[in-house]
Amino acid sequence: MEDINSQRISYSTTLETSNQPVTDIFHFSVLDADNSQLDRQMFTITITSALAPPALIAFADHITVDEGGRVLLLAHHHLTADDDTAAREDLRVTVVTLPVYGYIENTRTGESFGSWSESTGTTDASFSLQDVLENSIYCFQSVHESTEPTGDVFRFYVSDGFSRSEAQSISITIQRQNDEPPKMALEPVRLQEGSAVVVTNASLSLQDLDTSSSELVIVVSQSPEHGQLRRRQSAAEALEQGQVLSRGSSFTYQDVLDELIVYTRSGAAAQTGEFGFSLTDGLYTRAGRLEFSMELPRKQPPHGSYQQGPAAPSWLHNSAHGSAPEGSCCSFRGHGHQICPEEGPQQGPAAADHSW
């Protein structure tokens, strides 16, 4: 009894059962210390099928989908159950982590699962394995405007209603597509009189998440009338030494970012200029015009000068309280006039000028 109480006695079997339980028995006798014996005792054991996790024979953890497209989740893509048709029909796939940049759709039922799906149906993100085998489950890539995701993932497990498998992951590679036109922002380029200026992305700014800067091509459609557009070989080259870009010439947005594009002004009378261009990413084309504006030198205010002493005459500041001293005059530069309190305006420069 000590062995039994200490749980040292066990029973094991290799028998595989179906859905019906199987009974096994063994007989035993009991003796005590006085050799008293109890015979023909029977121990009955009921053997039932174990609740084993659903079998997964094959699993591929990666699929590829075009940006804005969809891909069919074929059976060989991720899971295959055993050959027991009845058992396979009971298996369900439950998605525990939904895709971030798309959704999963069951075309047989019309249900879709994902934060970006248009379905307002059940929140239970699950479908039968039979739907997978019948080519009804698709993964859609739907989030790609103003963002360019390159990968996604979702996690799931398989259940037969009693037990479930470990969670599995399917990673998704998103192949980029050129599906959006480039965005463009233009600001006038300002330069000093008689000078040259580098065209930077502060004046010509482009954005295209689908296309690299070196593949954004700008073609000159109208040359500047009062200057020249040039492309330098390097940013260290002098501004006037670059190759002239005439109508039909092209450069890339990477040239702008590298500060290789220069405008040199030649028309002294013109205050503004511009050049027309077309922008293409290989699929979409946009037209634009970039303006050049010359900054005029700032005008200096008029200067006055006065005669007699370094200090301003009191009659000029406060003539209402007294008369000006005899011989005091004030002259204005650039006009050749003098103003004296008694004599009035006089021609000619002042004897001594003091500015204020």
Side-chain angles (χ1 to χ4, degrees), residues 333-345:
R333 293 179 183 175
H335 298 283
H337 293 291
Q338 291 182 343
I339 300 178
C340 299
E342 295 182 356
E343 301 175 3

Side-chain angles (χ1 to χ4, degrees), residues 40-84:
R40 297 181 182 180
Q41 302 300 308
M42 185 175 64
F43 193 93
T44 304
I45 302 170
T46 302
I47 304 172
T48 60
S49 59
L51 297 178
L56 294 180
I57 298 176
F59 173 73
D61 59 357
H62 181 266
I63 59 176
T64 300
V65 61
D66 290 337
E67 183 182 63
R70 70 175 188 173
V71 59
L72 178 66
L73 298 184
L74 296 173
H76 67 269
H77 272 161
H78 59 271
L79 55 88
T80 300
D82 53 31
D83 293 331
D84 190 338

Side-chain angles (χ1 to χ4, degrees), residues 208-220:
D208 191 337
L209 299 178
D210 297 325
T211 311
S212 65
S213 300
S214 60
E215 295 177 332
L216 291 174
V217 179
I218 301 168
V219 181
V220 179

Side-chain angles (χ1 to χ4, degrees), residues 315 323-330 338-346:
W315 61 267
S323 59
E326 183 177 355
S328 299
C329 297
C330 176
Q338 291 182 343
I339 300 178
C340 299
E342 295 182 356
E343 301 175 3
Q346 299 181 358

Side-chain angles (χ1 to χ4, degrees), residues 235-303:
E237 188 176 359
L239 300 183
E240 296 81 5
Q241 298 303 313
Q243 178 185 1
V244 176
L245 297 173
S246 58
R247 182 177 180 181
S249 301
S250 64
F251 57 94
T252 69
Y253 185 52
Q254 188 62 47
D255 295 334
V256 176
L257 297 178
D258 294 339
E259 298 187 351
L260 302 181
I261 307 304
V262 177
Y263 173 74
T264 56
R265 181 173 176 272
S266 59
Q271 305 299 324
T272 61
E274 64 178 16
F275 85 95
F277 64 89
S278 62
L279 164 68
T280 180
D281 62 357
L283 179 63
Y284 300 94
T285 302
R286 296 189 60 184
R289 308 183 77 84
L290 184 61
E291 179 182 344
F292 302 98
S293 176
M294 189 187 74
E295 294 183 345
L296 298 177
R298 302 176 66 179
K299 293 184 178 179
Q300 299 294 329
H303 294 276

Side-chain angles (χ1 to χ4, degrees), residues 1 78 87 111 149 221 236 244 273 308:
M1 288 298 296
H78 59 271
E111 294 177 309
S221 59
V244 176
Q308 187 180 2

Side-chain angles (χ1 to χ4, degrees), residues 35-329:
N35 289 326
S36 298
Q37 183 171 333
L38 183 63
D39 295 324
R40 297 181 182 180
Q41 302 300 308
M42 185 175 64
F43 193 93
T44 304
I45 302 170
T46 302
I47 304 172
T48 60
S49 59
L51 297 178
L56 294 180
I57 298 176
F59 173 73
D61 59 357
H62 181 266
I63 59 176
T64 300
V65 61
D66 290 337
E67 183 182 63
R70 70 175 188 173
V71 59
L72 178 66
L73 298 184
L74 296 173
H76 67 269
H77 272 161
H78 59 271
L79 55 88
T80 300
D82 53 31
D83 293 331
D84 190 338
T85 304
R88 188 168 64 239
E89 291 176 350
D90 293 334
L91 295 178
R92 290 193 66 81
V93 180
T94 299
V95 182
V96 293
T97 302
L98 294 167
V100 176
Y101 301 108
Y103 58 93
I104 298 171
E105 181 172 303
N106 187 337
T107 57
R108 183 183 66 82
T109 63
E111 294 177 309
S112 58
F113 316 106
S115 57
W116 296 96
S117 71
E118 299 179 355
S119 174
T120 57
T122 177
T123 58
D124 179 21
S126 67
F127 44 86
S128 69
L129 178 60
Q130 195 64 31
D131 289 334
V132 178
L133 300 177
E134 293 177 356
N135 299 336
S136 299
I137 307 301
Y138 285 85
C139 180
F140 283 78
Q141 202 290 310
S142 57
V143 182
H144 54 90
E145 293 183 3
S146 301
T147 182
E148 293 298 324
T150 58
D152 208 346
V153 66
F154 69 91
R155 289 174 57 81
F156 67 94
Y157 64 82
V158 181
S159 172
D160 60 5
F162 299 98
S163 60
R164 71 183 195 183
S165 68
E166 295 183 0
Q168 307 286 331
S169 296
I170 292 183
S171 62
I172 304 169
T173 296
I174 302 172
Q175 293 185 334
R176 288 187 175 185
Q177 303 292 317
N178 187 7
D179 57 354
E180 294 185 51
K183 297 179 181 179
M184 178 169 53
L186 303 176
E187 293 289 341
V189 179
R190 304 189 183 279
L191 71 159
Q192 300 293 331
E193 183 177 7
S195 66
V197 64
V198 176
V199 179
T200 68
N201 61 337
S203 298
L204 177 56
S205 178
L206 306 179
Q207 182 182 20
D208 191 337
L209 299 178
D210 297 325
T211 311
S212 65
S213 300
S214 60
E215 295 177 332
L216 291 174
V217 179
I218 301 168
V219 181
V220 179
S221 59
Q222 178 184 337
S223 302
E225 294 183 5
H226 308 293
Q228 291 179 323
L229 201 64
R230 298 175 179 269
R231 184 191 182 279
R232 300 182 291 173
Q233 294 298 319
S234 70
E237 188 176 359
L239 300 183
E240 296 81 5
Q241 298 303 313
Q243 178 185 1
V244 176
L245 297 173
S246 58
R247 182 177 180 181
S249 301
S250 64
F251 57 94
T252 69
Y253 185 52
Q254 188 62 47
D255 295 334
V256 176
L257 297 178
D258 294 339
E259 298 187 351
L260 302 181
I261 307 304
V262 177
Y263 173 74
T264 56
R265 181 173 176 272
S266 59
Q271 305 299 324
T272 61
E274 64 178 16
F275 85 95
F277 64 89
S278 62
L279 164 68
T280 180
D281 62 357
L283 179 63
Y284 300 94
T285 302
R286 296 189 60 184
R289 308 183 77 84
L290 184 61
E291 179 182 344
F292 302 98
S293 176
M294 189 187 74
E295 294 183 345
L296 298 177
R298 302 176 66 179
K299 293 184 178 179
Q300 299 294 329
H303 294 276
S305 63
Y306 66 88
Q307 201 172 353
Q308 187 180 2
S314 59
W315 61 267
L316 182 61
H317 294 293
N318 195 7
S319 61
H321 298 282
S323 59
E326 183 177 355
S328 299
C329 297

